[in-house]
Amino acid sequence: MAGKPKLHYSNGRGRMESIRWLLAAAGVEFEEEFIETKEDLEKLQNDGVLLFQQVPMVEIDGMKMVQTRAILNYIAAKYNLYGKDLKERAWIDMYVEGTTDLMGMIMYLPFQPADTKEKNLALIIERATTRYFPVYEKALKDHGHDYLVGNKLSWADIHLLEAILMTEECKPDILSAFPLLQAFKGRISNIPTIKKFLQPGSQRKPPTDDKTVAIVRKIFNF
């Protein structure tokens, strides 16, 4: 029997958090080996296990996988969260790319200079409410299903819930104009594996604070 996937990253959200979400939603237990110092990262780089000298890196099924999108694609396909055919996969990809763009803006907010944070926070809220969330609200309305693609839980749903919760950390009432997304949030949050991941004490990471920013800057030298 194969061992648990092992995740190599710093002890924070970053690019690994969506991987944690997807594994947890699939009901897959995983281990984490945190990169806590610049030396920890250099050891991985010198050992030749990082294809492009970068993390995240996930040990799974005998592979040392890098590149966030490749890792997510593999997990989604392995655990039947990637649609039933090419068309469904294309829709999942489009929805995921949208939420990835939104979450990327939020991910980098704590690393930005203080004098630009307010402006960038306003941009995140504007983009969420005028560019991204209307797309998902319309998709749910048009097909009348509980899920975004194929009336079955997929990676797109899991990623959207993660994006919603991240955006609510920026503005708690962000979904006030999106009743179908409010209902969606409730449904997906109550899927047993996801509900477990949302409980205190899980491997879900908290929002990035100043302490985490300082550690990440030191490890990754930026």
Side-chain angles (χ1 to χ4, degrees), residues 180-203:
L180 297 181
L181 282 180
Q182 291 176 43
F184 172 90
K185 174 191 164 187
R187 282 195 306 275
I188 307 301
S189 296
N190 278 300
I191 292 169
T193 52
I194 295 174
K195 188 173 184 178
K196 182 180 178 184
F197 188 61
L198 293 174
Q199 298 304 307
S202 79
Q203 287 166 292

mmCIF file of all heavy atoms in Angstrom, residues 180-203:
data_model
loop_
_atom_site.group_PDB
_atom_site.id
_atom_site.type_symbol
_atom_site.label_atom_id
_atom_site.label_comp_id
_atom_site.label_asym_id
_atom_site.label_seq_id
_atom_site.Cartn_x
_atom_site.Cartn_y
_atom_site.Cartn_z
ATOM 1 N N LEU A 180 -27.213 32.580 -4.687
ATOM 2 C CA LEU A 180 -26.909 31.200 -5.073
ATOM 3 C C LEU A 180 -25.523 30.783 -4.600
ATOM 4 O O LEU A 180 -25.304 29.619 -4.232
ATOM 5 C CB LEU A 180 -27.029 31.029 -6.591
ATOM 6 C CG LEU A 180 -28.433 31.264 -7.160
ATOM 7 C CD1 LEU A 180 -28.444 31.053 -8.666
ATOM 8 C CD2 LEU A 180 -29.460 30.345 -6.494
ATOM 9 N N LEU A 181 -24.596 31.722 -4.579
ATOM 10 C CA LEU A 181 -23.269 31.410 -4.044
ATOM 11 C C LEU A 181 -23.314 31.234 -2.521
ATOM 12 O O LEU A 181 -22.569 30.424 -1.974
ATOM 13 C CB LEU A 181 -22.258 32.504 -4.419
ATOM 14 C CG LEU A 181 -21.728 32.462 -5.854
ATOM 15 C CD1 LEU A 181 -20.740 33.594 -6.090
ATOM 16 C CD2 LEU A 181 -21.080 31.119 -6.168
ATOM 17 N N GLN A 182 -24.198 31.981 -1.865
ATOM 18 C CA GLN A 182 -24.362 31.774 -0.422
ATOM 19 C C GLN A 182 -24.839 30.348 -0.143
ATOM 20 O O GLN A 182 -24.318 29.664 0.746
ATOM 21 C CB GLN A 182 -25.365 32.780 0.148
ATOM 22 C CG GLN A 182 -24.873 34.215 0.157
ATOM 23 C CD GLN A 182 -25.957 35.176 0.635
ATOM 24 O OE1 GLN A 182 -26.668 34.905 1.593
ATOM 25 N NE2 GLN A 182 -26.096 36.306 -0.046
ATOM 26 N N ALA A 183 -25.827 29.903 -0.918
ATOM 27 C CA ALA A 183 -26.340 28.541 -0.750
ATOM 28 C C ALA A 183 -25.270 27.508 -1.121
ATOM 29 O O ALA A 183 -25.118 26.481 -0.444
ATOM 30 C CB ALA A 183 -27.584 28.342 -1.603
ATOM 31 N N PHE A 184 -24.530 27.791 -2.194
ATOM 32 C CA PHE A 184 -23.432 26.915 -2.627
ATOM 33 C C PHE A 184 -22.403 26.762 -1.510
ATOM 34 O O PHE A 184 -21.951 25.644 -1.200
ATOM 35 C CB PHE A 184 -22.792 27.520 -3.882
ATOM 36 C CG PHE A 184 -21.523 26.846 -4.336
ATOM 37 C CD1 PHE A 184 -21.569 25.785 -5.232
ATOM 38 C CD2 PHE A 184 -20.286 27.289 -3.884
ATOM 39 C CE1 PHE A 184 -20.395 25.170 -5.662
ATOM 40 C CE2 PHE A 184 -19.115 26.680 -4.301
ATOM 41 C CZ PHE A 184 -19.176 25.619 -5.193
ATOM 42 N N LYS A 185 -22.029 27.875 -0.920
ATOM 43 C CA LYS A 185 -21.056 27.845 0.182
ATOM 44 C C LYS A 185 -21.532 26.918 1.299
ATOM 45 O O LYS A 185 -20.760 26.098 1.820
ATOM 46 C CB LYS A 185 -20.848 29.268 0.720
ATOM 47 C CG LYS A 185 -19.982 29.345 1.961
ATOM 48 C CD LYS A 185 -20.054 30.744 2.576
ATOM 49 C CE LYS A 185 -19.535 30.721 4.004
ATOM 50 N NZ LYS A 185 -19.739 32.020 4.686
ATOM 51 N N GLY A 186 -22.806 27.034 1.659
ATOM 52 C CA GLY A 186 -23.350 26.173 2.711
ATOM 53 C C GLY A 186 -23.315 24.701 2.333
ATOM 54 O O GLY A 186 -22.936 23.840 3.145
ATOM 55 N N ARG A 187 -23.703 24.393 1.099
ATOM 56 C CA ARG A 187 -23.724 22.990 0.643
ATOM 57 C C ARG A 187 -22.335 22.376 0.641
ATOM 58 O O ARG A 187 -22.121 21.282 1.172
ATOM 59 C CB ARG A 187 -24.289 22.894 -0.790
ATOM 60 C CG ARG A 187 -25.771 22.984 -0.923
ATOM 61 C CD ARG A 187 -26.223 22.515 -2.296
ATOM 62 N NE ARG A 187 -25.573 23.194 -3.406
ATOM 63 C CZ ARG A 187 -25.969 24.356 -3.916
ATOM 64 N NH1 ARG A 187 -27.010 24.980 -3.406
ATOM 65 N NH2 ARG A 187 -25.336 24.890 -4.954
ATOM 66 N N ILE A 188 -21.386 23.076 0.001
ATOM 67 C CA ILE A 188 -20.051 22.500 -0.166
ATOM 68 C C ILE A 188 -19.326 22.432 1.177
ATOM 69 O O ILE A 188 -18.586 21.475 1.451
ATOM 70 C CB ILE A 188 -19.228 23.303 -1.204
ATOM 71 C CG1 ILE A 188 -20.004 23.433 -2.524
ATOM 72 C CG2 ILE A 188 -17.875 22.643 -1.451
ATOM 73 C CD1 ILE A 188 -20.383 22.116 -3.177
ATOM 74 N N SER A 189 -19.565 23.410 2.034
ATOM 75 C CA SER A 189 -18.928 23.405 3.361
ATOM 76 C C SER A 189 -19.379 22.230 4.213
ATOM 77 O O SER A 189 -18.677 21.836 5.149
ATOM 78 C CB SER A 189 -19.240 24.709 4.110
ATOM 79 O OG SER A 189 -18.685 25.818 3.461
ATOM 80 N N ASN A 190 -20.554 21.687 3.903
ATOM 81 C CA ASN A 190 -21.100 20.595 4.707
ATOM 82 C C ASN A 190 -20.821 19.205 4.148
ATOM 83 O O ASN A 190 -21.247 18.205 4.732
ATOM 84 C CB ASN A 190 -22.602 20.798 4.922
ATOM 85 C CG ASN A 190 -22.871 21.767 6.061
ATOM 86 O OD1 ASN A 190 -22.475 21.519 7.195
ATOM 87 N ND2 ASN A 190 -23.504 22.883 5.766
ATOM 88 N N ILE A 191 -20.115 19.122 3.034
ATOM 89 C CA ILE A 191 -19.625 17.815 2.575
ATOM 90 C C ILE A 191 -18.679 17.293 3.655
ATOM 91 O O ILE A 191 -17.780 18.023 4.092
ATOM 92 C CB ILE A 191 -18.919 17.957 1.215
ATOM 93 C CG1 ILE A 191 -19.949 18.311 0.128
ATOM 94 C CG2 ILE A 191 -18.158 16.683 0.846
ATOM 95 C CD1 ILE A 191 -19.348 18.727 -1.188
ATOM 96 N N PRO A 192 -18.868 16.073 4.143
ATOM 97 C CA PRO A 192 -18.142 15.619 5.336
ATOM 98 C C PRO A 192 -16.629 15.831 5.311
ATOM 99 O O PRO A 192 -16.049 16.305 6.307
ATOM 100 C CB PRO A 192 -18.507 14.135 5.422
ATOM 101 C CG PRO A 192 -19.881 14.072 4.828
ATOM 102 C CD PRO A 192 -19.881 15.079 3.715
ATOM 103 N N THR A 193 -15.969 15.503 4.196
ATOM 104 C CA THR A 193 -14.507 15.665 4.166
ATOM 105 C C THR A 193 -14.105 17.134 4.242
ATOM 106 O O THR A 193 -13.105 17.493 4.884
ATOM 107 C CB THR A 193 -13.922 15.052 2.878
ATOM 108 O OG1 THR A 193 -14.636 15.581 1.737
ATOM 109 C CG2 THR A 193 -14.022 13.533 2.894
ATOM 110 N N ILE A 194 -14.908 17.996 3.609
ATOM 111 C CA ILE A 194 -14.599 19.429 3.629
ATOM 112 C C ILE A 194 -14.946 20.023 4.987
ATOM 113 O O ILE A 194 -14.191 20.837 5.531
ATOM 114 C CB ILE A 194 -15.339 20.154 2.482
ATOM 115 C CG1 ILE A 194 -14.796 19.657 1.130
ATOM 116 C CG2 ILE A 194 -15.200 21.668 2.596
ATOM 117 C CD1 ILE A 194 -15.521 20.186 -0.084
ATOM 118 N N LYS A 195 -16.063 19.594 5.538
ATOM 119 C CA LYS A 195 -16.452 20.062 6.872
ATOM 120 C C LYS A 195 -15.353 19.755 7.886
ATOM 121 O O LYS A 195 -15.022 20.588 8.746
ATOM 122 C CB LYS A 195 -17.767 19.399 7.286
ATOM 123 C CG LYS A 195 -18.363 19.959 8.568
ATOM 124 C CD LYS A 195 -19.747 19.363 8.820
ATOM 125 C CE LYS A 195 -20.377 20.003 10.055
ATOM 126 N NZ LYS A 195 -21.739 19.473 10.290
ATOM 127 N N LYS A 196 -14.772 18.564 7.778
ATOM 128 C CA LYS A 196 -13.682 18.170 8.671
ATOM 129 C C LYS A 196 -12.474 19.087 8.489
ATOM 130 O O LYS A 196 -11.840 19.507 9.461
ATOM 131 C CB LYS A 196 -13.299 16.713 8.383
ATOM 132 C CG LYS A 196 -12.198 16.169 9.275
ATOM 133 C CD LYS A 196 -11.891 14.718 8.915
ATOM 134 C CE LYS A 196 -10.749 14.177 9.773
ATOM 135 N NZ LYS A 196 -10.386 12.797 9.363
ATOM 136 N N PHE A 197 -12.156 19.429 7.230
ATOM 137 C CA PHE A 197 -11.011 20.292 6.943
ATOM 138 C C PHE A 197 -11.223 21.711 7.471
ATOM 139 O O PHE A 197 -10.255 22.416 7.767
ATOM 140 C CB PHE A 197 -10.767 20.311 5.430
ATOM 141 C CG PHE A 197 -9.501 21.007 4.999
ATOM 142 C CD1 PHE A 197 -8.258 20.568 5.416
ATOM 143 C CD2 PHE A 197 -9.548 22.105 4.147
ATOM 144 C CE1 PHE A 197 -7.085 21.194 5.010
ATOM 145 C CE2 PHE A 197 -8.393 22.748 3.721
ATOM 146 C CZ PHE A 197 -7.160 22.286 4.157
ATOM 147 N N LEU A 198 -12.478 22.116 7.575
ATOM 148 C CA LEU A 198 -12.791 23.467 8.052
ATOM 149 C C LEU A 198 -12.825 23.571 9.575
ATOM 150 O O LEU A 198 -12.970 24.671 10.112
ATOM 151 C CB LEU A 198 -14.132 23.932 7.466
ATOM 152 C CG LEU A 198 -14.149 24.150 5.946
ATOM 153 C CD1 LEU A 198 -15.559 24.457 5.455
ATOM 154 C CD2 LEU A 198 -13.199 25.277 5.545
ATOM 155 N N GLN A 199 -12.702 22.438 10.262
ATOM 156 C CA GLN A 199 -12.732 22.456 11.723
ATOM 157 C C GLN A 199 -11.381 22.907 12.284
ATOM 158 O O GLN A 199 -10.326 22.671 11.675
ATOM 159 C CB GLN A 199 -13.061 21.062 12.277
ATOM 160 C CG GLN A 199 -14.413 20.516 11.879
ATOM 161 C CD GLN A 199 -15.562 21.432 12.247
ATOM 162 O OE1 GLN A 199 -15.690 21.850 13.389
ATOM 163 N NE2 GLN A 199 -16.399 21.741 11.273
ATOM 164 N N PRO A 200 -11.388 23.538 13.467
ATOM 165 C CA PRO A 200 -10.116 23.884 14.127
ATOM 166 C C PRO A 200 -9.267 22.633 14.334
ATOM 167 O O PRO A 200 -9.783 21.555 14.602
ATOM 168 C CB PRO A 200 -10.576 24.457 15.477
ATOM 169 C CG PRO A 200 -11.980 24.926 15.245
ATOM 170 C CD PRO A 200 -12.572 23.973 14.234
ATOM 171 N N GLY A 201 -7.969 22.792 14.174
ATOM 172 C CA GLY A 201 -7.064 21.673 14.383
ATOM 173 C C GLY A 201 -6.747 20.886 13.125
ATOM 174 O O GLY A 201 -5.928 19.955 13.159
ATOM 175 N N SER A 202 -7.381 21.250 11.989
ATOM 176 C CA SER A 202 -7.090 20.560 10.729
ATOM 177 C C SER A 202 -5.782 21.099 10.146
ATOM 178 O O SER A 202 -5.150 21.998 10.711
ATOM 179 C CB SER A 202 -8.226 20.762 9.732
ATOM 180 O OG SER A 202 -8.121 22.045 9.122
ATOM 181 N N GLN A 203 -5.399 20.579 8.986
ATOM 182 C CA GLN A 203 -4.173 21.038 8.335
ATOM 183 C C GLN A 203 -4.395 22.275 7.467
ATOM 184 O O GLN A 203 -3.476 22.727 6.777
ATOM 185 C CB GLN A 203 -3.572 19.888 7.514
ATOM 186 C CG GLN A 203 -2.940 18.815 8.400
ATOM 187 C CD GLN A 203 -2.649 17.531 7.648
ATOM 188 O OE1 GLN A 203 -3.561 16.815 7.233
ATOM 189 N NE2 GLN A 203 -1.379 17.217 7.466
#
